[in-house]
C-alpha cells in the first residue's frame, strides 16, 4: 500500500458552511489558486446543485486551476449528479463526489428509506456518475454511527458500480480515535485495495485530527480537511495540523507523506482568514498568532540558546517569518515585488503597478508597513467583485447625545451621488446614508473590527454581515487606516456582493 496521503481540501464547500464564512466567486477563485500552490490533491469546490451561485463558482474554479483535481459534491440523485458533471466540466482533472446517509438514525428519520433502498440508490448514483466522470468518490454519510456490516455491503456495491474512493465520514464527530482505527482497519481489509479509503472527520469532540491520524495508521490514504479547521459546528480536521503531524512525528506515525508545500501553509491560512473574516484562535496549533510566541522567561532563555528546546516546528517551516521585513516609503518596486512573491502573491504587471500605488499611498499615512499590511492591500485590491458602488468621500459629524450625522459621496454607474443621514452612532449613520444612496435597505447582522498589523497607525479591517431586503446575509470587507472609512467600505463591499448575486 502506498504511503502517499491524498489531501482532499473542502474549505470551499464544507468550510464555507461555517456560519458567516460565505465567499463570492472571486474570493473562491483566489483561495483555489492558493490551494493549488499549497499542493493539495483535490479541491472540493462546492455543491453544484445547491444554488446557481454555487454552480457558477465551481465552474469558474474548474476553469481557473491547472493540475489540481476539482470535485463537486452531489446527493445520490440524477439531478445533483448531472449538475456536478456540468459544473466541473472545464477542469483538466475532475471528480464527482456523491453520497447518501447510512446510519440507522439518518435512514429512518431523514431519508425514510430501508437499507436495501439505500444500497440501490447508491449503486444507481455511482453508476450514473461513472458514466459522466472517470473519477467517482462515494461517501457513507454518518459512517461514524453506521453498522459495520451494512457499511461493508454498501461499500462493496459502490465499488462494483465504479467508485474509486470510498469515504467514511464521522459526520457528527462522534468517534474516538481507537474506534476510528478499528472501523477503518476493518473496512480497509474488507475492500482489499479495490478502492482508496478516505475519512472526513468533524471536530465536535475536539478529535478530528487525532481521528484522521489514527485512520491513516489503519489504512486510510485520503483525508478530507479544511484550512484552519473551518466547517460546520465545531469544524473539520485542520489540514495544517494533519500535514505537520505527519512531517514531525514520522518516528511514531511512519513514513507517510503528502505533496503539501509546507512553506505555503501560513500564507494560505491568512488568506482564508482575511476572506472569511474568521480568525483562528490565538493559540490555534500551527497557524495561530501565538503558535510561535514565547512569553515565559524560562522559555525565552531556552529559545535564545537553542530554538528546539521549546519549538518542535519552526515558524519558517510553514512560511511564517519571525522577524518580519518592514517596508516603508523609501522601499522600491523591486523589493515590493520580491516581498509579495515571498508571501505567495504572483501579480501581473498591471496588478503590481496598482498594488505598488496602494502601498505608496499607505506609506504616506503610516510609518512602517508589515507583512499583514501587504496581504491586506493585495486582498483588498484584487479579491473583488464588480463595483456597482464605490466610496468617494465620507464625513462624520461630532455626535450629540448618541446621535451622529454622516455625509458620503458614492460613485455609481450614473455618476457620483451624495447624501446624508442621522444614526445612533457614527457607524450606524454611515450605513443608513449608504442605504439612502443605493435604495437598498440592509440589516446589520454582525460587525467586527481588527487591526491587521502592528502599531498605533495599524490598518483597520472591518468585516460586516448584512441582510439586504430581508434576504440571505452576505459578508463585506473594508480596509482603511480609519475605522469609520473601513466600515463604509465593508458595507459597500457587502452591497456589491448582494447586487452581483441578485
Amino acid at each position: 500500500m502506498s504511503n502517499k496521503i491524498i489531501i482532499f481540501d473542502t474549505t470551499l464547500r464544507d468550510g464555507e458552511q461555517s456560519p458567516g464564512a460565505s465567499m463570492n466567486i472571486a474570493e473562491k477563485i483566489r483561495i483555489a489558486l492558493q490551494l493549488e500552490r499549497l499542493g493539495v490533491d483535490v479541491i472540493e469546490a462546492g455543491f453544484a446543485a445547491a444554488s446557481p451561485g454555487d454552480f457558477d463558482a465551481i465552474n469558474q474554479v474548474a476553469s481557473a486551476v491547472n493540475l489540481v483535481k476539482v470535485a463537486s459534491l452531489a446527493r445520490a440523485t440524477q439531478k445533483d449528479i448531472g449538475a456536478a458533471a456540468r459544473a466541473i466540466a472545464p477542469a483538466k482533472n475532475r471528480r464527482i463526489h456523491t453520497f447518501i446517509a447510512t446510519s440507522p438514525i439518518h435512514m429512518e428519520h431523514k431519508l425514510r428509506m430501508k437499507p436495501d433502498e439505500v444500497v440501490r440508490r447508491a449503486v444507481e448514483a455511482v453508476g450514473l456518475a461513472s458514466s459522466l466522470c472517470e473519477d467517482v468518490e462515494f461517501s457513507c454519510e454518518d459512517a461514524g454511527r453506521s453498522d459495520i456490516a451494512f457499511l461493508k455491503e454498501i461499500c462493496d456495491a459502490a465499488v462494483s458500480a465504479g467508485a474509486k474512493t470510498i469515504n467514511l465520514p464521522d459526520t457528527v464527530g462522534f468517534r474516538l480515535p481507537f474506534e476510528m482505527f478499528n472501523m477503518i482497519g476493518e473496512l480497509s481489509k474488507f475492500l482489499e485495495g479495490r478502492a482508496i479509503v478516505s475519512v472526513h472527520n468533524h471536530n465536535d469532540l475536539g478529535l478530528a485530527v487525532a481521528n484522521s491520524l489514527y485512520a491513516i495508521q489503519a489504512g486510510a490514504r485520503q483525508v478530507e480537511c479544511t484550512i484552519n479547521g473551518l466547517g460546520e459546528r465545531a469544524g473539520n480536521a485542520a489540514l495544517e495540523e494533519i500535514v505537520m503531524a505527519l512531517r514531525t512525528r514520522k518516528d511514531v506515525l511512519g513514513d507517510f507523506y503528502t505533496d503539501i508545500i509546507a512553506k505555503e501553509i501560513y500564507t494560505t491560512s491568512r488568506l482564508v482568514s482575511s476572506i472569511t473574516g474568521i480568525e483562528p484562535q490565538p493559540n490555534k496549533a500551527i497557524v495561530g498568532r501565538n503558535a510561535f510566541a514565547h512569553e515565559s522567561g524560562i522559555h525565552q532563555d531556552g529559545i535564545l540558546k537553542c530554538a528546539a528546546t521549546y519549538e518542535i516546528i519552526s515558524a519558517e517551516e510553514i512560511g511564517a517569518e519571525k522577524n518580519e521585513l518592514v517596508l516603508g516609503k523609501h522601499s522600491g518596486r523591486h523589493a515590493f515585488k520580491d516581498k509579495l512573491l515571498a508571501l505567495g502573491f504572483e501579480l501581473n504587471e498591471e496588478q503590481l503597478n496598482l498594488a505598488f500605488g496602494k502601498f505608496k499611498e499607505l506609506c504616506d499615512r503610516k510609518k512602517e508597513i508589515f507583512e499583514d499590511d501587504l496581504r491586506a492591500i493585495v486582498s483588498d485590491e484584487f479579491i473583488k467583485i464588480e463595483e456597482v458602488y464605490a466610496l468617494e468621500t465620507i464625513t462624520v459629524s461630532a455626535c450629540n447625545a448618541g446621535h451622529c450625522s454622516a455625509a458620503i459621496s458614492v460613485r455609481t454607474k450614473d455618476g457620483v451621488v451624495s447624501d446624508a443621514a442621522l444614526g445612533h452612532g457614527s457607524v450606524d449613520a454611515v450605513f443608513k446614508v449608504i442605504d439612502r444612496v443605493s435604495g437598498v435597505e440592509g440589516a446589520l447582522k454582525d460587525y467586527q473590527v481588527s487591526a491587521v498589523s502592528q502599531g498605533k497607525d495599524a490598518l483597520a479591517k472591518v468585516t460586516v454581515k448584512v441582510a439586504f431586503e430581508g434576504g440571505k446575509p452576505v459578508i463585506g470587507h473594508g480596509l482603511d487606516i480609519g475605522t469609520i472609512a473601513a466600515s463604509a467600505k465593508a458595507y459597500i463591499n457587502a452591497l456589491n456582493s448582494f447586487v452581483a448575486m441578485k
Side-chain angles (χ1 to χ4, degrees), residues 115-187:
D116 60 333
E117 295 177 282
V118 173
V119 174
R120 185 169 63 253
R121 176 76 65 83
V123 169
E124 291 171 354
V126 172
L128 174 60
S130 297
S131 72
L132 300 173
C133 181
E134 290 185 3
D135 188 354
V136 175
E137 175 175 337
F138 173 70
S139 281
C140 304
E141 186 186 6
D142 203 22
R145 294 188 294 176
S146 297
D147 176 73
I148 192 72
F150 183 62
L151 284 178
K152 289 179 180 179
E153 179 186 355
I154 196 168
C155 290
D156 180 63
V159 171
S160 298
K164 293 185 177 180
T165 300
I166 294 293
N167 185 44
L168 301 165
D170 188 17
T171 304
V172 294
F174 180 71
R175 290 281 187 177
L176 300 178
F178 75 90
E179 293 177 306
M180 181 62 65
F181 181 89
N182 292 337
M183 181 180 77
I184 298 301
E186 191 165 344
L187 265 296

Side-chain angles (χ1 to χ4, degrees), residues 196-356:
I196 293 169
V197 175
S198 169
V199 288
H200 177 120
N201 291 312
H202 278 263
N203 205 38
D204 298 70
L205 295 177
L207 296 169
V209 170
N211 283 343
S212 298
L213 295 174
Y214 269 71
I216 289 170
Q217 290 275 289
R221 289 299 178 265
Q222 175 178 284
V223 288
E224 303 194 358
C225 43
T226 61
I227 301 299
N228 299 338
L230 277 179
E232 290 192 272
R233 304 184 312 280
N236 289 271
L239 179 151
E240 61 277 2
E241 295 179 28
I242 295 171
V243 169
M244 295 312 294
L246 291 174
R247 285 171 61 100
T248 307
R249 295 309 311 274
K250 288 184 181 294
D251 58 320
V252 174
L253 296 174
D255 197 27
F256 297 112
Y257 69 95
T258 73
D259 288 338
I260 295 296
I261 300 170
K263 283 188 175 293
E264 296 290 340
I265 286 176
Y266 189 71
T267 294
T268 311
S269 170
R270 297 307 305 151
L271 177 65
V272 171
S273 298
S274 67
I275 286 176
T276 62
I278 300 175
E279 289 283 339
Q281 72 266 26
N283 63 333
K284 164 77 170 64
I286 313 299
V287 294
R289 290 193 179 276
N290 292 347
F292 300 98
H294 304 274
E295 186 171 340
S296 161
I298 295 173
H299 285 217
Q300 290 174 346
D301 179 66
I303 287 291
L304 291 172
K305 291 174 179 175
C306 175
T309 54
Y310 287 102
E311 288 186 354
I312 59 172
I313 301 167
S314 71
E316 292 83 0
E317 195 173 351
I318 64 163
E321 296 184 23
K322 286 186 177 180
N323 300 311
E324 292 187 337
L325 173 62
V326 180
L327 299 176
K329 65 180 180 180
H330 299 298
S331 300
R333 190 171 179 276
H334 188 265
F336 177 74
K337 179 180 180 180
D338 284 350
K339 188 58 182 177
L340 289 185
L341 286 171
L343 293 176
F345 296 108
E346 295 183 33
L347 308 184
N348 61 37
E349 284 302 307
E350 182 183 357
Q351 291 173 329
L352 183 63
N353 289 336
L354 287 170
F356 189 62

Side-chain angles (χ1 to χ4, degrees), residues 436-458:
R436 285 170 62 95
V437 168
S438 65
V440 181
E441 185 176 350
L444 184 66
K445 300 297 184 182
D446 193 22
Y447 177 85
Q448 299 176 25
V449 183
S450 60
V452 300
S453 61
Q454 308 166 31
K456 62 183 181 181
D457 57 354

